[in-house]
Amino acid sequence: NENPEKKDKIIDYKQKTTFNLADYKKIAVLHRKLGEPKYDEWLYQFEEAGQPFNEYVNSDPVLPNDVQNKIYVLPIGEFTSLEKRILNETIDFMQVFFGLEIVIQKIKPDGFIPDTARRTNGDIEQLNTKYILYNVLKPVIPEDAIVYIAITAKDLYPKDDWNFVFGQASLKNRVSVASIYRLKYPDMDTSNYQLCLKRLMTTVTHETCHMFSIRHCKDY
């Protein structure tokens, strides 16, 4: 941030935060080591460098501070009553998981997204993630927001040669977007609601962690 007052507060916050690698061993037992990646998994197709703890600490990570300490959520497009319910329950989970106040903004219809940032893939309407990140969210990120995430029921694509993505985030710009669409395939109803809810909680938490400067883990 260009505001020096805010930057000082971020530095002050970091200086009073103690990072101890010895604590890692205490939580290691809570996590399961990954095996060899399977054909349909991310690590099978994409090579990740990982992120050692020291590398994370030295990366000047995004951290809450006295000024920027809220998570803002912008719903984009239309939502069914069940999709609104799953959205609200996911936001409740985020507040518990991150321990930060969540501010839910008014639903923004997706009609403002131009034709150049949307497409039809087969019979599926998709919105471009980069347009949402850098043209919609980044220019208007609220002053007290530490991170800003958009959630939509529409499908997403990051660039022309990709089929779809569940979501995308910027590690330094503090913005991200996630989609419900693929998590409820073919449709969400009361029989698969809990599965869809778990998937959305996982996706939104994943993208939010990226905004807090955490890269993909290749070991756990």
Side-chain angles (χ1 to χ4, degrees):
N1 196 302
E2 293 181 359
N3 187 323
E5 182 180 351
K6 288 183 182 180
K7 188 170 181 61
D8 288 341
K9 289 187 177 182
I10 293 174
I11 292 173
D12 289 342
Y13 179 89
K14 290 170 65 177
Q15 287 176 341
K16 63 185 179 184
T17 302
T18 302
F19 297 98
N20 188 347
L21 280 173
D23 291 336
Y24 165 78
K25 294 181 180 179
K26 298 177 183 178
I27 64 170
V29 295
L30 301 176
H31 301 277
R32 176 176 54 86
K33 274 278 190 180
L34 291 174
E36 286 294 317
K38 299 176 182 178
Y39 173 77
D40 57 350
E41 293 179 338
W42 179 270
L43 291 176
Y44 187 91
Q45 301 180 58
F46 301 97
E47 185 176 347
E48 294 283 355
Q51 186 183 38
F53 186 68
N54 281 339
E55 183 179 300
Y56 162 78
V57 173
N58 294 331
S59 70
D60 190 23
V62 171
L63 297 171
N65 57 80
D66 294 338
V67 176
Q68 299 164 319
N69 49 38
K70 295 181 177 67
I71 295 176
Y72 274 73
V73 179
L74 175 64
I76 293 180
E78 296 182 358
F79 295 84
T80 66
S81 59
L82 209 54
E83 288 168 348
K84 288 179 181 177
R85 177 184 160 194
I86 205 171
L87 179 62
N88 288 330
E89 291 194 19
T90 298
I91 289 169
D92 288 342
F93 173 79
M94 289 174 68
Q95 187 155 356
V96 174
F97 187 93
F98 292 102
L100 296 171
E101 181 181 344
I102 310 289
V103 179
I104 309 172
Q105 296 184 311
K106 183 179 179 180
I107 294 176
K108 188 177 181 70
D110 62 47
F112 69 94
I113 298 178
D115 291 342
T116 54
R118 60 171 74 222
R119 72 180 185 185
T120 300
N121 185 3
D123 59 351
I124 302 171
E125 185 179 14
Q126 298 178 308
L127 305 178
N128 184 268
T129 55
K130 291 182 179 178
Y131 183 88
I132 294 173
L133 294 181
Y134 302 115
N135 294 75
V136 179
L137 299 180
K138 184 181 176 184
V140 296
I141 186 167
E143 287 290 320
D144 57 350
I146 183 61
V147 293
Y148 193 17
I149 182 170
I151 302 177
T152 180
K154 291 280 180 69
D155 202 23
L156 298 172
Y157 74 103
K159 52 185 179 178
D160 290 342
D161 58 346
W162 277 55
N163 189 15
F164 73 93
V165 285
F166 298 110
Q168 189 173 8
S170 168
L171 272 72
K172 286 298 183 182
N173 289 298
R174 300 182 289 123
V175 290
S176 72
V177 58
S179 168
I180 299 174
Y181 186 85
R182 298 276 169 171
L183 312 179
K184 62 183 181 68
Y185 181 82
D187 289 302
M188 180 170 52
D189 54 33
T190 54
S191 67
N192 64 359
Y193 179 84
Q194 290 299 322
L195 175 61
C196 296
L197 177 61
K198 180 180 179 181
R199 287 171 171 171
L200 185 60
M201 287 177 173
T202 301
T203 301
V204 168
T205 304
H206 177 110
E207 301 303 343
T208 305
C209 284
H210 277 326
M211 290 189 285
F212 285 115
S213 307
I214 300 174
R215 297 184 179 276
H216 287 151
C217 182
K218 64 177 184 178
D219 295 320
Y220 289 92

